[in-house]
Amino acid sequence: MLICIPDVLSKDEVAEFRRIMDAAEWEDGRATAGAQSAMVKRNEQLPPDGEAARKLGQRIITALTKNPRFLSAAIPLQIFPPLFNRYTSARGDHFGIHVDNAVRGDPLTGLRIRTDLSMTLFLAEPDTYDGGELVIEDTYGSHEVKLPAGHAVLYPSSSLHMVTPVTRGARVASFFWMQSMIREPHIRSMIFDLDTAIQSLTERLGRDDPDAVKLTGIYHNLIRQWAEV
Ligand code: NI
């Protein structure tokens, strides 16, 4: 399931991110790629252990932990420190089809997670570059994603995905992985649907509606049954 999370960052925050990123040193994106993906990856990234990536990454995590739609969809246990990449047309940057590594370790913090969900947070407006679509394959087919700056997409790390060649301008984004408390994608998806339905029900009937209270109880009991913490 692909889930769009709008407005993770405001336009002002995106502009500030871009000022810091544009002034930073970039390195070859293959520095963090696995053996298969190194063959198909062509882009630049901020050094993961650099000050810019660490500080901006922390700001993204802080923003996400206050975002109800993200929390409901991901039910995150651990979020990997966000990485930042840039695909420019001058180099014909792209990232061929691949699956992300199942386990990621962060040498700086010692954090190690199973990658259940991947997230791409767009940091360039779609009209400033051509190409650079994130293409994600799932059981319903192939989906092209290109969102306004500040918006993000959440997708299963198990899915094949790619970034198409950039033919004009520069595609700038942050991307990262997380381990969910709910490992099974279909169960996480049902719990998300239930939560969404409860939110819409309580908007109409109020939080103290007896049936809404019962359903909220069921929501928490399902999490209690399935969560790994
Ligand atoms: Ni990937």
Side-chain angles (χ1 to χ4, degrees), residues 37-72:
S37 56
M39 291 191 292
V40 292
K41 185 177 186 184
R42 180 161 181 87
N43 65 8
E44 297 169 289
Q45 66 188 17
L46 288 181
D49 52 354
E51 198 189 337
R54 289 284 151 174
K55 278 195 172 163
L56 297 177
Q58 193 49 55
R59 286 182 59 178
I60 292 173
I61 292 178
T62 302
L64 285 173
T65 51
K66 293 182 206 151
N67 187 305
R69 183 170 166 83
F70 166 76
L71 295 173
S72 173

Side-chain angles (χ1 to χ4, degrees), residues 8 54 56-67 70-83 104-106 109-121 154 157 174-181:
V8 173
R54 289 284 151 174
L56 297 177
Q58 193 49 55
R59 286 182 59 178
I60 292 173
I61 292 178
T62 302
L64 285 173
T65 51
K66 293 182 206 151
N67 187 305
F70 166 76
L71 295 173
S72 173
I75 314 179
L77 178 62
Q78 296 274 19
I79 303 176
F80 198 82
L83 300 169
R104 281 272 169 184
D106 176 31
T109 56
L111 176 71
R112 192 166 63 160
I113 65 160
R114 181 186 66 230
T115 56
D116 293 325
L117 289 163
S118 301
M119 180 169 245
T120 293
L121 169 63
L154 195 60
S157 302
S174 174
F175 68 103
F176 46 97
W177 305 275
M178 64 208 75
Q179 181 167 333
S180 175
M181 290 187 211

Side-chain angles (χ1 to χ4, degrees), residues 2-228:
L2 268 60
I3 298 167
C4 174
I5 314 284
D7 302 314
V8 173
L9 298 178
S10 69
K11 298 294 180 196
D12 285 350
E13 286 171 312
V14 170
E16 194 191 340
F17 269 55
R18 287 298 303 275
R19 271 196 300 277
I20 295 168
M21 293 171 73
D22 293 349
E25 294 276 339
W26 292 73
E27 67 177 17
D28 192 296
R30 280 170 286 201
T32 54
Q36 188 266 332
S37 56
M39 291 191 292
V40 292
K41 185 177 186 184
R42 180 161 181 87
N43 65 8
E44 297 169 289
Q45 66 188 17
L46 288 181
D49 52 354
E51 198 189 337
R54 289 284 151 174
K55 278 195 172 163
L56 297 177
Q58 193 49 55
R59 286 182 59 178
I60 292 173
I61 292 178
T62 302
L64 285 173
T65 51
K66 293 182 206 151
N67 187 305
R69 183 170 166 83
F70 166 76
L71 295 173
S72 173
I75 314 179
L77 178 62
Q78 296 274 19
I79 303 176
F80 198 82
L83 300 169
F84 296 84
N85 59 19
R86 180 165 71 184
Y87 296 76
T88 54
S89 59
R91 296 157 32 108
D93 284 348
H94 62 276
F95 198 159
I97 196 127
H98 67 280
V99 169
D100 294 341
N101 286 0
V103 175
R104 281 272 169 184
D106 176 31
L108 228 63
T109 56
L111 176 71
R112 192 166 63 160
I113 65 160
R114 181 186 66 230
T115 56
D116 293 325
L117 289 163
S118 301
M119 180 169 245
T120 293
L121 169 63
F122 291 81
L123 294 170
E125 293 297 351
D127 61 1
T128 61
Y129 62 99
D130 290 330
E133 284 87 6
L134 174 64
V135 181
I136 302 162
E137 288 183 7
D138 66 13
T139 46
Y140 297 105
S142 179
H143 310 273
E144 282 194 3
V145 185
K146 190 176 197 175
L147 299 175
H151 295 212
V153 62
L154 195 60
Y155 56 99
S157 302
S158 55
S159 56
L160 282 163
H161 56 276
M162 63 184 277
V163 176
T164 64
V166 172
T167 55
R168 177 183 64 92
R171 174 198 195 268
V172 182
S174 174
F175 68 103
F176 46 97
W177 305 275
M178 64 208 75
Q179 181 167 333
S180 175
M181 290 187 211
I182 313 291
R183 179 178 191 161
E184 295 292 334
H186 65 283
I187 292 168
R188 196 187 315 118
S189 167
M190 279 192 288
I191 291 175
F192 177 52
D193 286 345
L194 175 61
D195 192 19
T196 307
I198 292 170
Q199 296 309 324
S200 125
L201 200 68
T202 52
E203 260 173 43
R204 278 184 286 132
L205 305 177
R207 278 201 182 277
D208 52 354
D209 176 81
D211 289 329
V213 172
K214 267 188 210 162
L215 286 170
T216 304
I218 292 169
Y219 169 82
H220 287 292
N221 288 335
L222 285 172
I223 294 202
R224 192 170 284 115
Q225 178 170 353
W226 287 102
E228 303 166 356

